Amino acid sequence: MKQLLILSGKGGTGKTTIASAFIRLSKAKAYADCDVDAPNLHLITEQSSEPRKTDYYGLPNAEINPVLCIKCDLCRQNCRFDSISVEADKKYKVDPFACEGCGVCEAVCPADAVTLKPAVSGELMLFANEREVFSTAQLKMGSGNSGKLVTEVKKQMKTEAVNTEFAIIDGSPGIGCPVIASISGVDMVLVVAEPSISGISDMERIINTAAKFGTKTVVCINKYDTNIDNTEKIEQFCKKQRLPFMGRIPFDPNAVKAINNVQTIVDIDCASGAAVKAVYNKTMKLLFEKSVG
Amino acid sequence: MRIAVLSGKGGTGKTLISVNLAAVAKTSIYIDCDVEEPNGHLFFKPGNIQEEEVSVLIPKVDEKLCSGCRKCVDFCKFNALAYIKDKLIIFEEVCHSCGGCIMLCPKKALTEKEKVIGKVQKGTSDNVTVNTGILNTGEASGIHIIKKLLNNNTEIDKQTFIDCPPGSACIVMESIKDADYCVLAAEPTMFGVHNLNMVYELVRLFKKPLGVVLNKCLEEENPAEKFCFEKNIKVLSRIPFDNELGILNSNAEIAVRKSEKYRAMFSSLLATVIKEVHHETASDSQR
Amino acid sequence: MKIAIPVDEKSLQSNVCVSFGRTPYFLIYDTDTKKSVFVDNGAAVSTGGAGIKAAQMIVDSKASILLTPRLGENAAEVIKAAEIKIYKTTTAAAQDNIEAFIAGKLPLLNEFHAGFHGQRGN
């Protein structure tokens, strides 16, 4: 399976808008949303069936049994995450958001009152029918270990769509664990850059991250006309780094309209849609050309 | 007074709002808690920078004392330790600094040492004290850096603006824990509403008073505005989509320092926020 | 000599698992007795450091050769410390790779990808 990952570094550059257009254009039979902190792809790719849902377990949480607890205070003193507190009624309580499940309290408790309980920290969803497979997930509020959930999202898609030759993955913003987990194993990364100083700084960081994995990286610019000078800077940067440049997409109020009507930008006749088509053709050519070698 | 600015997704104008609010206040403190991708300093370009390293405690082994019992290896929930060929290997970047291995070692072969994971910077840009947290690449969590940033800036009489990381993960919770008021930035799209709802739930969980700034408003119907209306959320301001503001912002210029128009716009937003905060404190004392 | 391979299923015909740390099983193949043993990978469910824990398991299994498509930096450090040789798998099926290894046709693996780091949660 050839996998194309769409990334941005900075949030809000139009990653999901472009991913949804690519899915429509390629009639992709398999796609996934790896932005598990703030998944959006499901909003625009209308699904006819109910998803298959699976609980996702992250780090466990400590739980204190009030009957066994002898109030020795050792757990509170030894917790490095300040997650144990004494309530007004002298009961010991664990803050599930602060607890990292390290098990120190369990080990130190002389009364065996502490146990580590698996905690649901998100939900995996799989939409599958004869036509296509769509894998996505939502991390629960206040959870942090999303790298593993991203891996699960990709695994779920691959297991279900075994004989599919092409898949599109919408990545997550940033450069941290979830992004590294999204990059792992893909054939090409398309970076959606934005012509702003912040956007350029974040784009460089994401390109460095992808380079560490030796993954082929190509770049396109969204909303290029909001700052032509910065657009040219990005293009020069690509030239210098020998990163294939896939094209410019203009700012287009019609894009907002389309999204709000649950349409992709290639479903309507608009400037951004036409530009995305050109970017798509160039990207696909490069992706499949390279596969021969 | 501590005001946190946050949003469910990146690119909604969190930094635009917090930077310009801080710049328009008489004297203020700006804290960039987006330690993975700190951008506020690109706008402020602060001078007189003082730096301080941020470290966590991680274990180190005295090989002469280690008996190879593997208690630490078996205990570590994060798999930060391995015992190979009569030698203990410690993976520093995987360690969560829980201290469990040191506590459990029967031979006292493990002790702690400091490891630098990033830094905090303090500088000045005209009327604003600019605080930036920077997480070193390859480090997993910036939570210690955020704690340091917030502990370094506890003057409650100063107007403090906290630029939060995007999303609703644990680091966002840390950033808003001590805030008096939360400003939520939202885009006028269906995506924007979905993500606004996430942070809205998060802020409600912490029982913080909040208001929304609708950013990049176009002529069309705004789903984020509809959401605020339905949930009875105070709309603090509507920032129109505007090429001039877009260019200033994309060139990392502070709009209120460049144009009277934007100075007036953000002054009025600041006044609204302050009024809301006072209103909240007043209704709090009545309770 | 024992050879370790991450595999998707408990069979010699199984495909090699693309993820070392999160593979469901390891196949430990003894070239002297020609016997296969399948070990559950307890590290697969770890939130972080799975590669390190899986590597420790390989070391404890007394394997001297590891065949895998990819390996993270941390796991590689453990494997190398134990002086286990690492070869890159070239085909899908585990058995084909064993045969290719014995025939001396597998290349040494010497590129290791960056790990997923701490994947710190809370």
Side-chain angles (χ1 to χ4, degrees), chain B:
Chain B
M1 179 169 40
R2 284 184 158 195
I3 293 152
V5 183
L6 60 165
S7 70
K9 71 193 271 275
T12 54
K14 211 165 27 63
T15 300
L16 167 82
I17 294 165
S18 44
V19 163
N20 281 288
L21 280 179
V24 89
K26 209 186 237 166
T27 51
S28 65
I29 301 173
Y30 167 85
I31 307 176
D32 197 344
C33 285
D34 191 358
V35 298
E36 272 190 50
E37 275 156 352
N39 284 334
H41 69 104
L42 298 174
F43 289 82
F44 281 115
K45 306 166 187 78
N48 287 328
I49 289 179
Q50 293 163 354
E51 259 186 24
E52 207 183 327
E53 287 185 329
V54 181
S55 318
V56 292
L57 292 173
I58 54 155
K60 67 169 189 209
V61 62
D62 183 339
E63 281 170 20
K64 289 196 289 292
L65 294 177
C66 177
S67 67
C69 73
R70 288 207 196 187
K71 273 214 169 92
C72 54
V73 177
D74 295 337
F75 171 79
C76 183
K77 302 289 184 291
F78 313 108
N79 304 317
L81 301 152
Y83 190 77
I84 307 295
K85 296 226 163 194
D86 306 326
K87 230 182 123 182
L88 189 67
I89 308 179
I90 299 167
F91 290 89
E92 300 188 346
E93 76 276 24
V94 179
C95 174
H96 284 218
S97 309
C98 75
C101 52
I102 295 154
M103 191 178 82
L104 286 177
C105 179
K107 299 285 178 196
K108 303 219 173 337
L110 289 164
T111 47
E112 282 185 299
K113 65 167 185 184
E114 289 200 342
K115 181 198 159 204
V116 177
I117 57 158
K119 59 189 174 189
V120 293
Q121 288 180 340
K122 194 187 215 107
T124 45
S125 167
D126 295 348
N127 55 327
V128 186
T129 311
V130 180
N131 292 274
T132 308
I134 304 165
L135 180 70
N136 290 347
T137 44
E139 292 296 339
S141 168
I143 215 140
H144 287 94
I145 298 179
I146 293 175
K147 277 189 181 161
K148 179 95 191 162
L149 280 169
L150 297 174
N151 286 337
N152 280 359
N153 294 283
T154 48
E155 300 146 89
I156 30 168
D157 51 326
K158 280 229 180 113
Q159 286 176 356
T160 304
F161 299 90
I162 305 169
D163 193 351
C164 298
S168 59
C170 48
I171 45 170
V172 183
M173 294 191 161
E174 195 64 42
S175 311
I176 67 165
K177 226 158 60 183
D178 299 316
D180 299 300
Y181 192 82
C182 292
V183 174
L184 278 52
E187 271 185 359
T189 63
M190 199 170 63
F191 295 165
V193 175
H194 184 72
N195 298 323
L196 174 61
N197 187 31
M198 279 171 33
V199 266
Y200 169 66
E201 295 289 335
L202 176 83
V203 173
R204 281 218 322 180
L205 189 75
F206 279 74
K207 302 189 175 65
K208 300 282 179 194
L210 67 110
V212 168
V213 173
L214 299 166
N215 191 18
K216 304 186 196 173
C217 295
L218 296 163
E219 294 294 313
E220 283 88 37
E221 189 183 315
N222 186 336
E225 186 158 18
K226 216 173 122 204
F227 174 85
C228 293
F229 180 75
E230 279 164 9
K231 299 266 177 182
N232 202 12
I233 304 168
K234 168 92 186 171
V235 173
L236 301 165
S237 166
R238 287 171 188 79
I239 303 176
F241 178 84
D242 162 350
N243 237 340
E244 192 188 341
L245 181 60
I247 296 256
L248 282 174
N249 200 50
S250 62
N251 284 331
E253 300 277 10
I254 298 169
V256 301
R257 288 186 182 165
K258 290 281 161 185
S259 138
E260 265 313 309
K261 185 168 100 188
Y262 300 123
R263 174 161 284 275
M265 186 168 99
F266 281 97
S267 295
S268 125
L269 171 59
L270 180 62
T272 313
V273 171
I274 291 172
K275 211 174 103 196
E276 283 293 309
V277 176
H278 287 154
H279 173 73
E280 282 298 329
T281 4
S283 57
D284 254 4
S285 52
Q286 277 166 16
R287 270 172 212 158

Side-chain angles (χ1 to χ4, degrees), chain A residues 19-28 44-46 168 262-264 266-267:
Chain A
S20 63
F22 269 49
I23 290 164
R24 190 58 52 96
L25 289 169
S26 66
K27 301 189 178 66
I44 186 141
T45 55
E46 275 182 295
I168 292 176
V262 200
Q263 284 176 312
T264 75
V266 292
D267 290 330

